[in-house]
Each structure stands twice: as C-alpha cells, then as structure tokens.
Amino acid sequence: MDSTKHVGVIAIIISKRETTAPKVNQILTNHGDLIIGRLGLPYGDHSLHVISLIVDGDKEQLQGLTAELTAVPDTIVESTMSPVCLG
C-alpha cells in the first residue's frame, strides 16, 4: 500500500446537469478532505458543465475518487497525479 501523498488534477465534464450534478456533488462532499480547490463553470454554448479539482491524497484515495466519478452516467472524467510525492 502506497501511503505517500500526491497532488493531482481531476477534470469532470457533465452533459446532463439535472440528473448528474447531484450525484457528482455527493461524491465530492464524501471526499471533501481530498479536495484542495474546485472550479465549476457552465459551458452553455454546448450544454455542458465543467468542474476542475485540485486534490491531495494517497494514490489509492485519488484513484477511488476518480473511479466513483467515472461510474456516474453522463460524465467524462480525466485525472492526473504528480510524479512528485509530497512525503
């Protein structure tokens, strides 16, 4: 088990806000201790909503958060973690 902390970025694109946003927000609330910063923007021209997260946690925690978000229908989730450990 790797308990070394990493910083990462998670991008979430939501295409059906009415049904998807409540599920995404509940997941983010449940993992709030991992979230350093959050920016959410509507992309009205394309009926999309984009959320970007800056996260800090161990590899398993961040992968778990990403997996939960990916499982929500009508979302696209991409993430990356720094190769630099925070110790």
Side-chain angles (χ1 to χ4, degrees):
M1 181 162 112
D2 178 12
S3 63
T4 305
K5 296 254 185 181
H6 298 269
V7 67
V9 179
I10 300 174
I12 308 160
I13 300 174
I14 298 171
S15 61
K16 294 185 180 174
R17 183 176 184 263
E18 297 77 23
T19 57
T20 304
K23 295 173 189 175
V24 168
N25 282 324
Q26 185 59 54
I27 292 168
L28 298 181
T29 297
N30 293 344
H31 294 277
D33 58 320
L34 302 176
I35 299 171
I36 298 170
R38 170 183 174 165
L39 173 66
L41 296 169
Y43 192 17
D45 291 348
H46 299 285
S47 299
L48 298 173
H49 300 271
V50 181
I51 300 171
S52 60
L53 303 173
I54 307 300
V55 293
D56 175 1
D58 67 44
K59 188 174 181 177
E60 291 175 355
Q61 290 173 314
L62 299 179
Q63 288 174 337
L65 170 56
T66 302
E68 283 188 50
L69 291 167
T70 301
V72 177
D74 302 311
T75 62
I76 298 169
V77 180
E78 295 291 333
S79 66
T80 187
M81 279 190 287
S82 70
V84 178
C85 299
L86 300 178

